[in-house]
Amino acid sequence: MLVLIKENSHQMSLEGALQVATQIKLKPDSVIGFATGSTPLDMYKELIRMHKDEGLDFSKIVSFNLDEYVGLHPTHPESYHYFMWENLFKHININPTNVHIPMGMADNISEFCNWYEQKINSYGGIDLQILGIGANGHIAFNEPGSSLGSRTRIKTLGQKTRLDNSRFFNEIDEVPQYAITMGVGTIMEAKKLLLLASGLNKADAIKATVEGPIMAKYPATIVQYHRYATIIIDKEAASQLEGEYIDSSL
Ligand code: F6R
C-alpha cells in the first residue's frame, strides 16, 4: 500500500487526476470504477480540464460506479447517475453506452446486482477503482460490519452515513434508507485501488485504514491486503498517522 500525503485537498485531487490519466494513457480502453461524494469532485474537474486542454481521451474507457441510492430516479438531482453526468461524464467524450451505474429503480434488485457483477467480469474486471472513504470507515456503501468478501448487493445505510449525506438533501428523512453497492470483495478484485481522503473528519478512518487491524468494523481496512492500493490524502486526513510516509513534496 502506497500512502501519499499531499499539502492540501487540491494537491490530493491533482495527484489523483494524474494517476487516473496515466492509467487511461497506458490503456485507453481501461475499465475505471468511479466514486461519487465530495472527495473526487475536484479531481473530476481536473480530469475535465485535461480532456479539454490536453486532449485526454475517454472515448474507449468503460465505467462502473460503486453505488446508487435505492428509489432515486436517475434524473433525481441527488442520484449518483445525475452526479456523474453533471460532474464528469457530460464534460468528457465518454461513450454513454460504456457507462454503468447501479440502477436504484431496478424492479428486481438482486437480479440486477448479479447482472452488474457479470457485466464487470465481462470486461475483464476493473483496472482502476477510485474510492472515497466514509468517516465511519465505509467504502462505497459497505457500512461497518459489512462482510469483507461481499459482492454487489442492497445495503441498509447506517444512521451516521445518512446524517453525513443529509447535507445534500433538505432533511435527513429524505436520505434513502437503502443503496445498491459493489461489495468489499468486488472492490478488492479491481487491479488497482486509488483511495482519496481529505479533511480532519476523515483522520480517524484513515488511521484505522492505514495502521489499524483489518476488521469488518472498518471495511476500508481491507485495502491493506490489496497489492496495488494507493492512498492519497491531505495533511489533515493524515494527522492521526504515526508511521513514516512519503513526503508530500516528493
Ligand atoms: C460514493 C461512495 C462513498 C463515499 C464516502 C465519502 O460513491 O462510495 O463511499 O466515497 O461516503 O463521501 P465524501 O467524499 O462525500 O466524504
Side-chain angles (χ1 to χ4, degrees):
M1 194 164 73
L2 178 65
V3 179
L4 298 175
I5 301 172
K6 308 304 281 187
E7 192 60 36
N8 53 44
S9 84
H10 185 56
Q11 295 301 324
M12 172 202 77
S13 304
L14 296 184
E15 177 65 35
L18 202 61
Q19 303 230 3
V20 176
T22 303
Q23 171 68 38
I24 295 172
K25 284 178 196 163
L26 283 173
K27 185 176 181 237
D29 60 349
S30 287
V31 181
I32 309 278
F34 286 97
T36 60
S38 309
T39 309
L41 270 177
D42 195 31
M43 177 176 78
Y44 292 161
K45 281 197 185 113
E46 174 63 7
L47 287 172
I48 294 166
R49 190 202 64 72
M50 288 173 157
H51 169 64
K52 298 211 158 117
D53 297 350
E54 298 166 13
L56 181 63
D57 182 15
F58 293 86
S59 64
K60 292 195 182 68
I61 74 157
V62 174
S63 78
F64 282 93
N65 260 78
L66 284 169
D67 41 19
E68 176 60 291
Y69 291 116
V70 167
L72 293 196
H73 193 271
T75 56
H76 189 291
E78 295 312 331
S79 75
Y80 288 172
H81 277 78
Y82 191 89
F83 176 102
M84 286 311 300
W85 281 100
E86 278 306 303
N87 294 302
L88 182 63
F89 294 157
K90 80 174 186 189
H91 306 284
I92 59 175
N93 64 336
I94 193 167
N95 179 346
T97 59
N98 288 348
V99 171
H100 305 89
I101 304 173
M103 188 49 75
M105 300 291 284
D107 288 335
N108 186 330
I109 290 183
S110 73
E111 217 169 77
F112 175 83
C113 293
N114 290 338
W115 176 86
Y116 204 67
E117 290 270 330
Q118 283 165 17
K119 200 76 187 166
I120 293 172
N121 288 336
S122 75
Y123 285 100
I126 292 172
D127 292 303
L128 176 70
Q129 177 64 57
I130 299 161
L131 295 169
I133 183 171
N136 62 1
H138 73 211
I139 43 172
F141 273 136
N142 295 289
E143 293 284 62
S146 293
S147 157
L148 297 179
S150 52
R151 315 300 312 183
T152 302
R153 68 211 183 292
I154 186 168
K155 278 295 286 179
T156 305
L157 301 183
Q159 196 58 12
K160 169 89 178 107
T161 298
R162 291 184 72 223
L163 194 64
D164 284 350
N165 289 7
S166 64
R167 68 191 192 275
F168 302 115
F169 293 80
N170 293 322
E171 50 173 336
I172 187 165
D173 289 345
E174 286 182 14
V175 184
Q177 286 185 331
Y178 305 100
I180 294 174
T181 180
M182 275 188 209
V184 181
T186 321
I187 292 168
M188 285 294 285
E189 278 172 15
K191 294 174 189 97
K192 290 181 210 153
L193 301 180
L194 193 62
L195 189 152
L196 273 63
S198 63
L200 283 175
N201 70 325
K202 299 291 172 71
D204 289 342
I206 287 296
K207 164 84 177 150
T209 300
V210 177
E211 296 178 343
I214 293 163
M215 54 171 149
K217 188 178 170 198
Y218 290 104
T221 56
I222 194 74
V223 306
Q224 291 177 30
Y225 271 139
H226 199 285
R227 288 190 66 184
Y228 300 103
T230 302
I231 315 264
I232 311 175
I233 48 182
D234 71 353
K235 284 195 162 165
E236 288 189 350
S239 57
Q240 302 285 332
L241 295 179
E242 290 166 40
E244 296 287 326
Y245 300 98
I246 292 176
D247 190 272
S248 58
S249 58
L250 293 178

